[in-house]
Amino acid sequence: MTNLMLFDNDEDGEQRMPRNVEAEATFLGALLIDNRVAEDVQIKLRPDHFYEPLHGRIYEQALKLLDKNMVVTPVTLKPYFESDEAMRALGGPSYLAKLTGDGAGLIGARDFANQIYDLALLRELVSVGRTLVDSALDTSESVDPKEQIEEAETALYRVSEGEAQEGGVKSFLAASTEALTNVERAFNSGGKVSGITTGLTDLNAKMGGLHRSDLLILAGRPGMGKTSLATNIAFNAARRYMQDMRDGMAPEDSLGARTAFFSLEMSADQLATRILSEQAEISSEKLRMGAISRDEMHRLAMASRELQDLPLFIDDTPALTIAALRTRARRLQRRSDVNLIVVDYLQLLQGSGRANDNRVNEISEISRGLKTLAKELNCPVMALSQLSRAVESREDKRPQLSDLRESGSIEQDADIVMFIFRDEYYHLAIKPDDPDENSTEEQRAKYAAWENDHQSKVNKATVIVAKNRQGSTGNIPLSFLSEFTKFGDLAYGDAPEEY
């Protein structure tokens, strides 16, 4: 194949943009001779990848005709270019016939298409580079170098993904096709999941799974089990993906996901210990102290062996800025094809430092950054969040949207806001004194009533879907193994039925 670095110089010696107009003409000639050429390349190659605008218009019109099941030849294309000024300058529609004069392009049509695509990326890279140089030369006080680095990373990511500046524009056909694909996924899963599975049947039924480009907020007071639930969801999605791949399923058909877990609070080994504890059903406290039996050690080794290929990536870097997190997430998606991101937790992220010590503005910047990341990577982002202490001052401890800590913009930016609530936690605070031989009948009755009520709350949690941009809100009751913090939909001791 011809060298990709094809540059021409102007008469004054100035270097111009990389291109190979001859390759474009040869490829179009091959397409007009054999329309099947388009079948291999039209997903990757777009009209705007052609350097010569006329060639881009010819390719675009050819695709439109093929979409109508019409044969594309110089004759069928002629009516669309009779008034085209650029075509007229080249001799009129007879230029289309000239393109087919040499059938050599049929042999390496795919190579020509790849070269056209790669040269388009190089032109985009040149454009990005010039913009970066111009920005870096601006030394005014209003310029923030860190912001420029973030913009540079974003621009380079777009180039690496093959996206031109116009890449965000979609026709209704493309958008509706994607929507129908999601509906088909939900239909094939029994009408429950159109996104990525949470591993929890009732939660899937309420939300339809975790959807691409959505920002999900999972909030709760300390001790409610936010990290445990998030870890369960991340693990369930990664395990489902691993099982589907072992079963020979295509990655795009899997209800699971390769998952990135950004843990700003716990270390990677602590999270791994928690997951192994849940899967081997051994208390994490016993694991930390090494107080386990030989049988438990065997179960632990079996769980570790089974999960050695688990596509769950843990980043435990502390004090990340939102810009650094977005950079790391892009790299993970590029290198490891990650398509689910979990952040534990939002308030531990840092902003750009331009908020002038205004924490509300900083949290607003972070929540907007997470939503932007979800749309940019086209994957769900789940961020954990703390709640304000206002919950503790109310008689009804169930959290509300107004309890989201430090900024209403979290509610505004999020597509789904969920709270996790454990009534057991607060019920323990009103526990009467244990009865003894000196207790009165009234005291014994009061304790018995409390004990009876408490048993109905033990090992139970409720996920409150307070905001759902795509569906309904409501409460989802969950149970969990208190010792292992593995959540499920069924009775105490049962694991989730859907993975």
Side-chain angles (χ1 to χ4, degrees), residues 157-320:
Y157 173 79
R158 289 187 184 133
V159 174
S160 72
E161 293 299 303
E163 300 175 4
Q165 293 296 328
E166 305 82 25
V169 179
K170 286 185 178 179
S171 67
F172 182 76
L173 173 63
S176 60
T177 301
E178 187 173 340
L180 286 174
T181 301
N182 292 335
V183 173
E184 185 180 9
R185 280 168 58 89
F187 176 78
N188 292 336
S189 70
K192 294 180 180 179
V193 185
S194 58
I196 295 169
T197 183
T198 65
L200 301 167
T201 306
D202 292 342
L203 198 56
N204 282 340
K206 173 62 70 175
M207 304 190 305
L210 311 178
H211 296 278
R212 294 183 182 276
S213 80
D214 274 2
L215 172 61
L216 303 98
I217 299 296
L218 175 58
R221 289 293 293 158
M224 292 294 106
K226 296 187 299 298
T227 300
S228 295
L229 180 56
T231 304
N232 273 240
I233 291 172
F235 171 81
N236 292 342
R239 187 167 79 167
R240 175 62 181 263
Y241 183 89
M242 180 178 68
Q243 291 177 343
D244 287 346
M245 295 305 99
R246 288 175 177 175
D247 293 340
M249 184 180 292
E252 61 271 18
D253 294 331
S254 174
L255 294 180
R258 297 173 68 83
T259 304
F261 198 110
F262 289 89
S263 178
L264 286 83
E265 189 172 34
M266 299 175 63
S267 66
D269 63 289
Q270 286 175 322
L271 272 177
T273 298
R274 173 172 286 191
I275 290 172
L276 289 174
S277 165
E278 293 165 2
Q279 300 312 305
E281 298 190 351
I282 304 170
S283 165
S284 57
E285 183 178 354
K286 291 174 68 176
L287 285 182
R288 284 195 301 270
M289 298 178 64
I292 57 177
S293 65
R294 187 174 297 276
D295 177 65
E296 289 172 329
M297 188 65 196
H298 177 70
R299 293 209 312 269
L300 187 67
M302 290 290 291
S304 178
R305 191 176 303 116
E306 180 186 349
L307 302 177
Q308 62 183 354
D309 297 324
L310 187 72
L312 178 60
F313 306 91
I314 302 172
D315 187 327
D316 60 359
T317 307
L320 277 176

Side-chain angles (χ1 to χ4, degrees), residues 86-160:
M87 182 77 78
R88 192 172 299 166
L90 293 173
S94 61
Y95 177 71
L96 295 170
K98 291 179 182 178
L99 292 175
T100 61
D102 183 4
L106 288 170
I107 300 174
R110 182 178 294 180
D111 288 339
F112 285 116
N114 287 335
Q115 186 179 93
I116 295 167
Y117 175 81
D118 289 341
L119 289 170
L121 290 190
L122 287 176
R123 289 195 298 274
E124 183 66 16
L125 188 59
V126 170
S127 177
V128 169
R130 287 175 175 171
T131 302
L132 294 181
V133 170
D134 291 341
S135 298
L137 291 175
D138 184 358
T139 57
S140 60
E141 292 184 2
S142 61
V143 173
D144 184 355
K146 291 183 179 179
E147 183 179 358
Q148 289 189 354
I149 293 172
E150 164 67 8
E151 291 174 355
E153 175 73 27
T154 301
L156 290 172
Y157 173 79
R158 289 187 184 133
V159 174
S160 72

Side-chain angles (χ1 to χ4, degrees), residues 326-429:
R326 290 172 63 182
T327 297
R328 289 166 182 260
R330 292 188 197 105
R331 286 191 194 130
L332 274 170
Q333 187 179 74
R334 189 166 61 246
R335 296 173 182 175
S336 304
D337 197 25
V338 161
N339 46 15
L340 170 61
I341 295 170
V342 181
V343 181
D344 183 17
Y345 58 91
L346 187 149
Q347 280 81 8
L348 288 178
L349 285 171
Q350 298 178 11
S352 63
R354 290 172 291 147
N356 298 321
D357 297 325
N358 187 322
R359 183 59 176 166
V360 172
N361 290 344
E362 187 175 26
I363 292 294
S364 298
E365 179 192 351
I366 291 168
S367 64
R368 283 195 303 271
L370 291 173
K371 176 58 183 175
T372 301
L373 179 66
K375 292 190 68 175
E376 185 180 318
L377 300 189
N378 193 31
C379 74
V381 173
M382 176 184 289
L384 279 60
S385 176
Q386 291 280 18
L387 293 179
S388 69
R389 288 194 175 92
V391 176
E392 311 295 341
S393 62
R394 294 197 304 264
E395 184 175 346
D396 182 3
K397 308 296 186 185
R398 290 178 178 268
Q400 306 167 0
L401 286 171
S402 59
D403 297 323
L404 284 170
R405 187 173 172 182
E406 292 174 312
S407 178
S409 69
I410 298 177
E411 175 189 348
Q412 176 182 318
D413 294 325
D415 297 281
I416 294 177
V417 177
M418 301 181 291
F419 300 113
I420 182 167
F421 174 73
R422 287 176 53 212
D423 203 8
E424 175 190 5
Y425 180 87
Y426 293 106
H427 198 250
L428 281 170

Side-chain angles (χ1 to χ4, degrees), residues 20-96:
N20 189 345
V21 178
E22 291 78 10
E24 295 177 3
T26 304
F27 169 77
L28 289 174
L31 174 61
L32 295 179
I33 295 172
D34 184 357
N35 292 171
R36 291 174 299 179
V37 166
E39 296 176 3
D40 292 334
V41 302
Q42 68 179 25
I43 294 177
K44 181 177 181 180
L45 191 64
R46 299 197 308 265
D48 57 290
H49 288 144
F50 288 78
Y51 177 80
E52 171 55 54
L54 174 61
H55 290 163
R57 293 196 295 275
I58 294 172
Y59 181 66
E60 183 177 23
Q61 189 58 51
L63 293 184
K64 288 180 180 178
L65 294 181
L66 288 172
D67 194 48
K68 296 177 182 178
N69 292 320
M70 294 177 62
V71 176
V72 179
T73 67
V75 175
T76 56
L77 282 177
K78 179 180 177 181
Y80 301 98
F81 292 94
E82 286 180 332
S83 60
D84 191 292
E85 292 295 333
M87 182 77 78
R88 192 172 299 166
L90 293 173
S94 61
Y95 177 71
L96 295 170

